[in-house]
Amino acid sequence: MSRNERERGVGAGAALPVMSTQCPFCSVQCKMNVAEEPLPSGRVRYRAEGKMNAASEGRLCVKGQNAHQHAMSRERVLYPLAKKNGAFVRIGWEEAVAAIAERMSAIQRERGRDAVGVYGGGSLTNESAYLLGKFARIALGTKHIDYNGRFCMSAAASAGVKAFGIDRGLTNKLSDIPETDCLLLVGTNIAECQPTLMPYFNKAKENGTFIIVVDPRETGTSAIADLHLKVRPGTDAALANGLLKVLLEERLENRRFLSERTTGFAEVERQVKEMRLEDISNLTGVPEAAIRKAAIAYGRAGTGMVFTARGIEQHRDGHMAVRAYLNLMLAAGKIGRRGCGYGAVTGQGNGQGGREHGQKADQLPGYRLIENPEDREYIAGVWGIDAAELPGKGVSAYEMMELTVSGDIRGLLVMGSNPIVSNPNVGLVEEGLKSLEFLVVADMFLSETAELADIVLPVTSYMENTGTLTNLEGRVLLREAARPAPGEARHDWQWLCDLAARWGRGDKFDFAEAEAIFEELRIASRGGIADYYGITYDRLRREEGVYWPCPSPDHPGTKRLFEAGFAHADGLARLVPVDNLPPGEETDRDYPLLMTNGRLLPHYLTGVQTRRSAALAARAVENVVELHPSTARKYRIEDGTLVRVRSRRGTAIVRSKVTIGIREDTLFIPMHWGGIQNVNLLTNPLLDPFCRMPDFKVSAVAIEPWS
């Protein structure tokens, strides 16, 4: 039934189907059914209900309950658009593909292959993410590909690879959470970001688990904590060192585990023993007594788990801050067994799978490295090309935006992302995108980035395309199409194949369905760190989901990592000394406050989808800044009034929200709005040297009434 037929109520008197699908938003990837209910008016109402699955156990949050609204929105882009004389006009797919090939080829002939870049997204299916990486490297032949997942988990991913030899969101099953004795939740607000997981934590609390939350704000997650450490933004590494120092002073480390399963502890021990807890307390703003209480609770617990998210990771030292918490966990020996482990709580729907198979600047499928000769040879063999044809490593997502300003990138293809809102320092990003010779955006809506495009391609929603996604546990799930594509919208992989044919690479992109792409992905990942070879669509249909690594069709999938050893060649985990650093941008007389950012329950990422859902948009109509009552009095700000927030990079206008649930020296602004409400007008583009994560979570700012 077409959208127009639905609006007219055609067939409303008959029994209408139930669509089985999967929520497109967070990393839990809840399964659900969307039922069509005829109304007396002749129209159709849609009702979403959770479907039993191992991760969410049949639960849905408010986003999942209303996700169908954006998929069926009248604002959907339904046919290709080209900008002519400053306005978008409808064109056909043949014209769109021909124009993209012609313009991109012209740029590359004049300026070289790397003058064209590709910018992907962490919500794409594994199949689309895989194909996008392949397209960039062998159709365009450019080294410049990265994706918005760089802003999601790159710090935790790089830390996991260095410490463990492998990066998977959770090292253990979600079902271990209620069985652990102590939970340490660092910079993660699960109650708003992954709300269908909260029952696991509530059950843990009922079972007597001691819960520690590290966050500068009071949140729905901190409300269940036995101990809330209101850390000063940007000082997470120092707090972890303080916890480790107390652990060692109390002799709560697991010396046998450290000697048999790790390396590097002696250097860490020497460094931490030289630190003074008083100095750490002064730097972090967390009382010594609270640090000591948290460390002893975690150290004495028989089992324990550590979870991190963007609050600790999105810093100039996010990689090392995560390493500091991994040091703590390894020192306690709390990993590789039931009720113990580490979890980097992914934000985007396929933030895990999206980085495993080639969207990231330095990676090839299976978590192989593009600069590793053996990895290049293997993937080149799968793709049927010479390894010399593969380009080298490109740069990170934000650095690609810098290259649009410098003129090194003159053409850009954006797929499943909205970089003009999601990047830090968006004033520079807007300048760069506007200066491009040619910009192509593939999206369901005219996002803020799509508005700047020369060509916009209409793509299918989560309800219309088939493909796999990998949830925060490392469990690969199959989401099958539940309805036909509206208008002329095409799957991402379809138009990528058409476009590749224009560059004479059609034989390398001869796919008739998503499953055929996955079959090639299986082979490309075989033997890699992220090994999907043993996973098939048939298995996913039968078993609901399969954990990777899964090296053979008869392998059950790896539900718990590191039971016998770590993924380094010697089987040992690595500890490393971590310095106590101040925030990446210090306050001063002109910018006396620290600003951090984050998410709200009703919205997702830059809000392109959720702000087009009436039910979700109504829950958070405009952006706000949270500030403490003392801070509000000091700067003469009334609750609920418009204020101007300024940083060294720009100005945002948002509405004030006065609350005692935040530190007096800290402001909090959500990330889901563009325009003058965009928090990223203010954010600091300082990059982590290890993973190139921007320092989203710390910006020195000033605040004042706006009139």
Side-chain angles (χ1 to χ4, degrees), residues 100-110 116 502-503:
I100 294 169
E102 179 183 347
R103 293 288 299 277
M104 293 294 194
S105 295
I107 291 171
Q108 290 187 314
R109 283 195 301 270
E110 181 180 351
V116 170
R502 293 280 177 166
W503 272 283

Side-chain angles (χ1 to χ4, degrees), residues 61-97:
C61 79
V62 67
K63 285 195 290 288
Q65 291 167 359
N66 293 284
H68 60 277
Q69 292 182 350
H70 81 258
M72 299 173 183
S73 168
R74 297 182 182 183
E75 294 184 55
R76 285 279 298 269
V77 178
L78 297 178
Y79 37 77
L81 302 173
K83 191 170 286 179
K84 298 180 179 180
N85 298 319
F88 285 116
V89 297
R90 178 177 179 174
I91 61 173
W93 270 102
E94 178 67 21
E95 181 181 350
V97 170

Side-chain angles (χ1 to χ4, degrees), residues 504-519:
R505 292 290 195 175
D507 61 321
K508 311 297 184 189
F509 292 81
D510 185 18
F511 300 106
E513 58 184 358
E515 186 173 3
I517 302 170
F518 189 80
E519 286 299 302

Side-chain angles (χ1 to χ4, degrees), residues 31-46:
K31 296 286 188 179
M32 61 184 179
N33 291 323
V34 181
E36 299 173 312
E37 301 178 1
L39 299 176
S41 64
R43 295 183 180 274
V44 174
R45 177 174 60 194
Y46 299 91

